Amino acid sequence: MVGIVTYGSYIPIYRIKTAEIARMWGDSPEHPEKGLNIQSKSVPGYDEDAATIAVEALRNALRRKNIPSEKIGAIFVGSESHPYAVKPTASLIAEVIGSYNAHAADLEFACKAGTAAMQNVYAMVKAGMIEYGVAIGTDTSQGQPGDALDYSASAGGTAFIIGKEGVIAEINETVSFVTDTPDFWRREGQRYPSHGGRFTGEPAYFKHIISAAKLLMEKMGTTAKDYDYVVFHQPNGKFPYRVGKRLGFTKEQIDPGLLTPYIGNTYSGATPTGLSAVLDISKPGDRILAVSFGSGAGSDAFDITVTEEMERFNRDAAPKVWDMIKRAKYIDYATYLKFRRMIVEVD
Amino acid sequence: MVVPRFWRERRYRYNLIGTRCPECGTVYFPPRNVCPKCGRKSLGKMEEFQLSGEGKVYSYTIVHQNVLGFKYQKPYIMAIIETPEGPKITGQIVDVEPEKVYIGMPVKAVFRRIAEDGKAGIIQYGYKFVPDWNKMELEKEGT
Amino acid sequence: MRDVAIIGAGETKYGEHWEKSLRDLAVEAGLKALEDAGICAEDIQAIFGGNMSAGSFVGQDHVGALIADFAGLAETKIPALRIESACASGAAALHAGYMAVASGLYDIVLVGGVEKMTDLPGDMVTDILAGAADREWEVFLGATFPALGAMMAQRYMYEYGLTREQMALLPVIAHKHGAMNPDAHFQREVTVDQVLNAPMVADPLTIMNCSPVSDGAAAVVLASADIARKYTDSPIKISASVAANDYISLHARNSLTTSPSTIEAGKKAYKMAKKEPKDIDLVEIHDAFSIIALIGIEDLGFAKKGEGIKLAEEGQLYYDGDLPYNVSGGLKAKGHPVGATGVGQVVEIVKQLRNEAGKRQVPDARVGLAHNVGGTMTSSVVHILEVM
């Protein structure tokens, strides 16, 4: 049995209300909530980045179940906001946990780099190359001020340790679907990403998620009714309901893992953190479908079953996702720009 | 650009690793090669010792005039934290309003960016402290 | 060991000397001291110069050689050594000069202190001064020097119930005295309200609880006591010269409200001078921050722990009180050119013991104590001077 052995998330404490962003840019204050179903988004503190978020998430995972550092054979960190353009985040993680013999690498695939990390670690464990591996999805994503992404691009991350021993959530199967669809991108040297507007919807998000989900369910012989929970990539608070409806899922299956209305889109952290929120409340036997989406474009789908081991697992040893969502400090737009280093230079 | 000066401290700063004197059991942070109590007897024997990251505020201040590199965090909270293992540690307290900090406040260590060598140089990571909300709530219930 | 006396003293005005360089200031103070002693440069056998950070402030190291050279002494080939002990560099240089004469190695030496601080913007000065603390485990994490002082104050307030209003009395007294010193950086009186309402540097310390950034230099000429009267009718004896050290970082100490190095230096100095605190007619106490002065007053035995501020409340610390305190204006009002400060304190005591201090003259002053510290009271140097 290969699956999740422990997991942990981290969401920065700072939030900005989307009405405050709308006030700044002359949009109607109800616009982001009505149009995108996002009321606030998380903002990293001035001293936080994708690496610090990754460390905090991984430490939360290790608080729940300590895995000896020498048994961790792989570290993959998925992010589109690695602190360095050249210099890995994964080596920092290896140093922090003291796993000096781990295979370590950074991944980038827009919002699905976190699930790509999960697949890599899953494969290495399944192949018997490693005993345990770390997969992290983390981001401090940036939208250009005034752009539609300004309402959603946020910060957060989740770490999974995947192995064969003490599995709390078995990964029954994982599949992917990928095409060359440039719905969102950032060219080298450009500060902010660009996107194709409504083109990011049907040909990108919906097509890839539906294709990957259908492929997985066909392979597993399941329908939407077989799952207790479903987590979709959540660039806004509306798409997951829409794609869910088309695949036959209900609001009740979606809601526990839908975080974007409160913390925005944590990019590589989004699907992993939605899954983390579901694991926070799940019981043995619960079945979960998780489907990420990364622009450019691809989706990774996971069929997961919670095991009896969850009964013995110390979930309370680290903060749960919804507790972190509730612990929030609201800041204004100017502070947001300062924290995101958009109006200040390094001194 | 300065690299090795920060690089050589990374393990201690990432994980609050200090040293312990095997002669008298005293724990030190930052690490020391000689125990001030045992002197030469401790030389070459000091052992690495990782702190839990838990602690309480021993003293603090709100800094309005910064050292270089901290300009955009003003006003920020500096504190000396007492740890249950013994040593006191100087560090920032973040994620809380300055007026909420008090001597005795439970805190825990977190991993943050501390400084960076300009826009092109390396980023230095290390420890800061945040309020330990769970412990604070337990304290409140206790009183 | 033989007795050592001060036969000449001189200093520059402290303040912002836009037109004067490091070497200008040092040479000015040195020549004033020589003139006061009535000796020629050729009579000097060695120079000990206190300086904290000329290398950072003006990019100049090898300060001893520079000063000797521009004082016109290059041809004499005498040794000129720089002594560094952060803000206690001046007193540390005096300690070195004292040892050199007391040991018999030299008969006459010049001791100077100098700092040129105002060439740099404030945040760079703050950063350089923070070098007096532990760069890697205090400053790297964001601690400024005033932040460390503020944490001492915060803890003192917690342990002893001191208020900001009480603490404000110390700068008020210092400024009262500074207003009478024509060489002081600030020659105006201030009120408690002005101290409390000044911009906050590091809570609870406002800018008026902190000494200023000053340029300045001070110098004294030392001679063995047996030849001192050849040069002056009013030599001042150095009855004690003691230096002590402690952990460099505040967090490494058991207490933030007492300075073991000041206690140690004070005790040894009293013993060496055969004096007690009650014998002291005036004190120059290191008041880089009000809290450091308060701790100094207590640790030097002038008040019980937690009760030092009573002396201020009772008015005893004024120049006409029972314990005239920082009659020069102290670091707060006279100014704090860090490398010069320890020597400047002694220059003030020399003036007082010679009855040459003008408006701020302490009546019947015969014994004075100077307390100069480096870092967060890490290094403490205590000198006791008396009329011979």
Side-chain angles (χ1 to χ4, degrees):
Chain A
M1 186 194 290
V2 177
I4 296 163
V5 171
T6 183
Y7 69 100
S9 297
Y10 179 79
I11 299 163
I13 200 165
Y14 297 104
R15 305 280 183 280
I16 184 165
K17 291 195 165 131
T18 49
E20 165 72 2
I21 302 170
R23 179 186 69 79
M24 182 67 205
W25 297 112
D27 288 337
S28 131
E30 303 89 51
H31 159 72
E33 211 170 330
K34 273 191 189 157
L36 301 167
N37 187 25
I38 306 177
Q39 40 178 280
S40 56
K41 69 170 193 173
S42 58
V43 180
Y46 185 81
D47 54 2
E48 294 186 291
D49 61 23
T52 65
I53 288 170
V55 169
E56 289 297 323
L58 180 54
R59 281 185 173 163
N60 279 336
L62 291 168
R63 280 180 185 117
R64 284 173 170 153
K65 180 162 191 177
N66 189 48
I67 305 295
S69 56
E70 66 276 8
K71 291 192 174 182
I72 291 175
I75 298 163
F76 287 98
V77 184
S79 181
E80 61 99 74
S81 52
H82 291 289
Y84 290 86
V86 177
K87 195 266 162 214
T89 308
S91 58
L92 171 74
I93 304 297
E95 182 77 58
V96 166
I97 60 172
S99 295
Y100 297 108
N101 293 112
H103 169 82
D106 287 3
L107 299 176
E108 189 276 312
F109 195 140
C111 296
K112 89 162 185 76
T115 56
M118 291 170 69
Q119 284 184 332
N120 278 312
V121 174
Y122 172 76
M124 287 178 80
V125 171
K126 202 171 177 184
M129 280 179 73
I130 60 172
E131 209 172 337
Y132 297 97
V134 170
I136 302 174
T138 178
D139 257 313
T140 56
S141 52
Q142 278 198 14
Q144 183 158 12
D147 184 80
L149 291 177
D150 208 14
Y151 289 116
S152 60
S154 70
T158 290
F160 295 104
I161 296 181
I162 292 170
K164 283 183 182 167
E165 292 295 319
V167 170
I168 55 167
E170 182 178 3
I171 299 174
N172 305 312
E173 186 58 273
T174 176
V175 301
S176 298
F177 179 77
V178 60
T179 71
D180 186 17
T181 303
D183 60 314
F184 164 101
W185 64 91
R186 181 167 67 80
R187 291 280 299 279
E188 188 62 51
Q190 293 297 301
R191 182 161 181 188
Y192 299 108
S194 308
H195 55 83
R198 287 183 58 77
F199 182 67
T200 59
E202 201 51 50
Y205 179 86
F206 291 100
K207 180 180 169 183
H208 291 80
I209 286 193
I210 289 168
S211 301
K214 278 189 173 165
L215 178 64
L216 184 66
M217 289 194 284
E218 267 168 34
K219 208 168 173 182
M220 301 304 288
T222 51
T223 67
K225 289 189 177 58
D226 294 314
Y227 297 95
D228 299 280
Y229 303 101
V230 65
V231 180
F232 294 115
H233 177 54
Q234 35 201 280
N236 54 55
K238 290 202 159 174
F239 278 16
Y241 289 127
R242 256 191 249 161
V243 80
K245 198 172 174 188
R246 282 160 69 171
L247 286 164
F249 289 93
T250 63
K251 190 173 180 301
E252 288 68 33
Q253 287 166 296
I254 295 169
D255 277 344
L258 181 57
L259 318 175
T260 297
Y262 312 97
I263 60 168
N265 178 7
T266 57
Y267 281 51
S268 302
T271 304
T273 308
L275 176 57
S276 173
V278 167
L279 290 174
D280 280 345
I281 55 165
S282 62
K283 304 180 302 295
D286 282 348
R287 199 158 178 182
I288 306 161
L289 178 71
V291 192
S292 65
F293 170 71
S295 288
S299 283
D300 302 323
F302 297 81
D303 184 308
I304 293 166
T305 304
V306 177
T307 72
E308 293 294 329
E309 185 67 23
M310 187 62 105
E311 295 286 343
R312 291 182 290 276
F313 182 70
N314 191 6
R315 271 192 289 215
D316 294 334
K320 295 188 173 142
V321 170
W322 283 97
D323 291 338
M324 285 188 279
I325 289 174
K326 280 177 206 150
R327 179 150 282 147
K329 286 187 189 304
Y330 291 92
I331 57 173
D332 61 14
Y333 197 82
T335 307
Y336 162 70
L337 290 182
K338 184 165 115 173
F339 280 7
R340 300 301 283 119
R341 299 162 188 245
M342 292 182 189
I343 48 168
V344 296
E345 297 288 343
V346 173
D347 68 332
Chain B
M1 286 191 192
V2 183
V3 178
R5 199 186 113 203
F6 304 108
W7 169 80
R8 76 173 64 91
E9 312 293 356
R10 71 199 180 283
R11 294 183 54 249
Y12 313 113
R13 285 187 178 144
Y14 291 178
N15 282 316
L16 286 173
I17 293 172
T19 49
R20 184 181 166 278
C21 172
E23 293 287 326
C24 67
T26 309
V27 176
Y28 298 98
F29 187 87
R32 289 175 183 268
N33 295 330
V34 179
C35 171
K37 291 178 188 164
C38 302
R40 221 165 59 190
K41 275 191 288 180
S42 66
L43 201 59
K45 293 187 195 158
M46 299 295 278
E47 302 161 343
E48 287 198 349
F49 186 94
Q50 183 169 357
L51 303 179
S52 63
E54 289 171 21
K56 284 184 171 184
V57 175
Y58 185 78
S59 192
Y60 69 98
T61 180
I62 304 151
V63 181
H64 296 266
Q65 288 184 13
N66 58 290
V67 275
L68 295 176
F70 289 77
K71 185 170 163 186
Y72 302 119
Q73 297 176 57
K74 284 192 305 180
Y76 60 92
I77 307 157
M78 284 308 302
I80 293 177
I81 308 299
E82 305 183 80
T83 68
E85 296 87 355
K88 294 198 282 286
I89 305 174
T90 301
Q92 253 180 284
I93 299 179
V94 292
D95 289 3
V96 65
E97 293 80 3
E99 59 274 16
K100 289 194 181 153
V101 179
Y102 58 92
I103 289 176
M105 179 189 215
V107 294
K108 56 180 184 179
V110 291
F111 188 83
R112 296 289 171 104
R113 289 163 88 116
I114 307 297
E116 51 200 291
D117 193 359
K119 275 167 84 176
I122 59 159
I123 302 163
Q124 293 128 20
Y125 295 93
Y127 50 87
K128 295 190 180 185
F129 294 88
V130 296
D132 190 333
W133 300 106
N134 291 337
K135 275 202 191 143
M136 281 168 76
E137 269 153 31
L138 287 175
E139 273 184 4
K140 243 186 249 166
E141 283 162 20
T143 52
Chain C
M1 292 243 296
R2 53 184 182 168
D3 284 346
V4 179
I6 294 172
I7 58 167
E11 61 187 338
T12 67
K13 183 185 180 310
Y14 287 1
E16 293 172 313
H17 284 290
W18 302 117
E19 296 188 5
K20 289 181 186 170
S21 66
L22 177 81
R23 69 188 76 182
D24 293 338
L25 292 164
V27 169
E28 179 183 329
L31 293 180
K32 277 183 178 167
L34 293 182
E35 195 182 327
D36 184 53
I39 62 172
C40 305
E42 293 74 29
D43 298 324
I44 301 293
Q45 294 166 327
I47 296 176
F48 296 89
N51 175 260
M52 174 176 166
S53 221
S56 300
F57 285 123
V58 294
Q60 177 70 59
D61 284 308
H62 213 173
V63 176
L66 178 87
I67 304 309
D69 178 355
F70 279 79
L73 295 172
E75 292 293 339
T76 68
K77 309 292 184 259
I78 61 165
L81 306 178
R82 171 209 186 154
I83 310 288
E84 191 272 312
S85 183
C87 305
S89 296
L94 182 58
H95 186 56
Y98 171 85
M99 290 189 286
V101 176
S103 70
L105 185 64
Y106 303 116
D107 293 321
I108 299 180
V109 302
L110 178 69
V111 171
V114 62
E115 211 74 54
K116 175 71 196 174
M117 303 174 75
T118 61
D119 283 353
L120 293 179
D123 55 350
M124 290 181 79
V125 173
T126 300
D127 204 68
I128 292 165
L129 291 174
D134 186 333
R135 176 66 66 175
E136 297 298 343
W137 303 99
E138 290 181 314
V139 183
F140 171 78
L141 285 318
T144 60
F145 208 65
L148 296 168
M151 287 196 277
M152 296 169 84
Q154 191 78 261
R155 188 71 200 184
Y156 191 107
M157 291 163 86
Y158 174 81
E159 289 181 14
Y160 297 106
L162 178 78
T163 64
R164 287 184 58 219
E165 287 74 9
Q166 287 176 303
M167 196 162 59
L169 294 171
L170 293 169
V172 167
I173 294 165
H175 273 260
K176 168 94 179 169
H177 294 154
M180 295 187 284
N181 182 355
D183 288 328
H185 190 156
F186 295 116
Q187 298 171 32
R188 57 182 167 79
E189 296 185 23
V190 299
T191 64
V192 167
D193 277 347
Q194 280 174 309
V195 174
L196 295 176
N197 297 323
M200 199 58 90
V201 174
D203 195 31
L205 303 180
T206 69
I207 200 162
M208 290 303 289
N209 292 114
C210 304
S211 56
V213 171
S214 318
D215 303 325
V220 290
V221 180
L222 308 189
S224 63
D226 50 342
I227 60 166
R229 287 204 187 273
K230 278 207 297 192
Y231 299 96
T232 173
D233 295 335
S234 50
I236 303 299
K237 184 181 160 192
I238 301 180
S239 307
S241 174
V242 180
N245 264 287
D246 195 10
Y247 295 98
I248 187 167
S249 46
L250 212 46
H251 57 234
R253 299 189 206 148
N254 287 331
S255 168
L256 303 191
T257 57
T258 185
S259 167
S261 70
T262 289
I263 292 174
E264 177 80 1
K267 273 188 190 164
K268 283 186 173 164
Y270 290 129
K271 196 176 168 201
M272 189 173 179
K274 299 186 179 66
K275 294 278 185 290
E276 291 178 43
K278 67 171 171 46
D279 300 324
I280 305 297
D281 296 324
L282 78 153
V283 290
E284 286 286 308
I285 292 200
H286 194 94
D287 59 338
F289 308 119
S290 309
I291 186 64
I292 286 183
L294 183 56
I295 292 172
I297 287 169
E298 294 169 350
D299 287 353
L300 290 167
F302 297 110
K304 280 193 209 150
K305 192 44 68 186
E307 296 181 2
I309 203 64
K310 280 188 191 168
L311 299 180
E313 289 173 318
E314 290 162 2
Q316 294 188 37
L317 300 182
Y318 286 106
Y319 73 112
D320 52 358
D322 285 347
L323 183 68
Y325 152 90
N326 291 2
V327 186
S328 64
L331 283 61
K332 176 66 203 74
K334 183 187 178 188
H336 186 25
V338 286
T341 292
V343 181
Q345 290 176 321
V346 165
V347 170
E348 173 69 16
I349 291 176
V350 167
K351 285 181 189 167
Q352 291 283 347
L353 299 188
R354 286 183 186 166
N355 205 13
E356 292 169 359
K359 276 198 280 187
R360 63 185 191 284
Q361 179 63 47
V362 173
D364 303 321
R366 298 192 57 81
V367 183
L369 180 149
H371 166 250
N372 186 203
V373 306
T376 43
M377 307 189 84
T378 299
S379 304
S380 297
V381 187
V382 172
H383 283 97
I384 296 176
L385 310 177
E386 61 185 308
V387 174
M388 263 174 86

